[in-house]
Each structure stands twice: as C-alpha cells, then as structure tokens.
Amino acid sequence: MHNPAIVALAVLRMKKTDLVKNLAKKIQGKMQTAGVPGRFGEGAAKLPDRREQRKLDQAAGLLPFAVKLHGDLVKQLQALAEAGDGNLNTLVDRLLRAGLVAEPVVATQVAAEKVPAAKAPAKKAPAKKAAAKEAPAKKAPAKKAAAKAAR
C-alpha cells in the first residue's frame, strides 16, 4: 500500500502520545474481534435462577434450615468445606448425619429432658405467688409493733 520508507518517517515524526493512542486502537480492535468467554456466553444461560434452583432443591428433598452459630464454628466449617469439595451444604449434611448416628441416645435424652422441664416451672409458680402474698401480711404487724415501741 504505502511505501515503507514513508511510513517509517511518519512514525518518527509522531509524538509519544500519538503512538500510545495508535497502540490503544490496535488493542481495542483485537478485543472486538475476540470471541466471547464462556462465562458470559453459552455457559451463563445454563445456571438456573433462584426460583428454578428452589424448585430443583425441593424436588431433591432439600429444605432450607437456618441456624445461628458462633463465628469461630462457622469459620471452622468454611475451612473444612474449602479443604473438601467446597460445598458447605454437603459438609454440614454429612457432619449432622455422622453426629446423629454416633450419638442417637443423646439426641433422644435432650428431647425427653425438655418436655418435663417446660411443665415444672408452671407447677412451682403458684406456690411462689402464695408465699409472696403471705409474707407482707406477716411483716406489717411487726412494723406497727416496732413503731409503737419507739413511741
């Protein structure tokens, strides 16, 4: 097209900023002709949205179950998940199943202990109220007797 000698002279006469602009235009041209990465193209369409994911979880028999744990325990669980397959849900599922199989007696004892403990305070509460009503009645005459003796 052009004479290489003339192009070389034109390049020598260009400022540094013009050279950088030309380089940027070349890079932009290459980026526009490059293909779309998989994470933005066809691969992105394969991931289900939240509603579809919820339906898939329900079909698999999974239910959401929120619990509050101490921060150090959560960090431990996350570290174990990272060391394994990276899925925290499967790790917690595996640990809970192993714990229930290892100590089924403890789980039933805890459930049995909670039932009588809830009923016991209800029976004791009326006895405390009756004692509280009697106590002021006994103290009142003692205060009056002390007041009379002081006069």
Side-chain angles (χ1 to χ4, degrees):
M1 287 197 221
H2 297 292
N3 188 353
I6 296 174
V7 172
L9 284 175
V11 170
L12 291 175
R13 293 182 186 167
M14 294 179 78
K15 295 180 183 178
K16 186 174 180 176
T17 55
D18 292 335
L19 291 173
V20 173
K21 284 180 186 177
N22 286 341
L23 182 61
K25 286 181 182 178
K26 286 182 186 178
I27 293 171
Q28 283 181 349
K30 289 180 183 178
M31 286 174 47
Q32 288 175 350
T33 58
V36 179
R39 63 179 179 216
F40 298 115
E42 297 171 9
K46 293 179 183 177
L47 297 174
D49 64 350
R50 290 182 183 179
R51 187 174 294 163
E52 291 172 3
Q53 184 65 44
R54 195 176 311 126
K55 287 180 183 178
L56 292 172
D57 289 345
Q58 287 176 349
L62 301 174
L63 297 173
F65 184 74
V67 295
K68 293 186 179 187
L69 303 171
H70 289 283
D72 56 340
L73 181 60
V74 171
K75 288 177 185 176
Q76 250 184 326
L77 289 171
Q78 289 172 342
L80 284 172
E82 289 289 325
D85 61 353
N87 192 344
L88 187 62
N89 290 331
T90 56
L91 173 73
V92 171
D93 181 61
R94 191 173 64 231
L95 290 173
L96 285 174
R97 289 181 189 273
L100 289 173
V101 169
E103 298 182 22
V105 177
V106 174
T108 55
Q109 285 176 352
V110 170
E113 288 175 3
K114 287 186 179 180
V115 174
K119 293 180 181 177
K123 292 179 183 176
K124 292 180 182 176
K128 288 180 181 177
K129 288 180 183 177
K133 289 179 183 176
E134 293 174 10
K138 291 179 182 176
K139 291 180 182 176
K143 288 181 181 178
K144 289 180 183 177
K148 287 180 183 178
R151 288 185 198 174

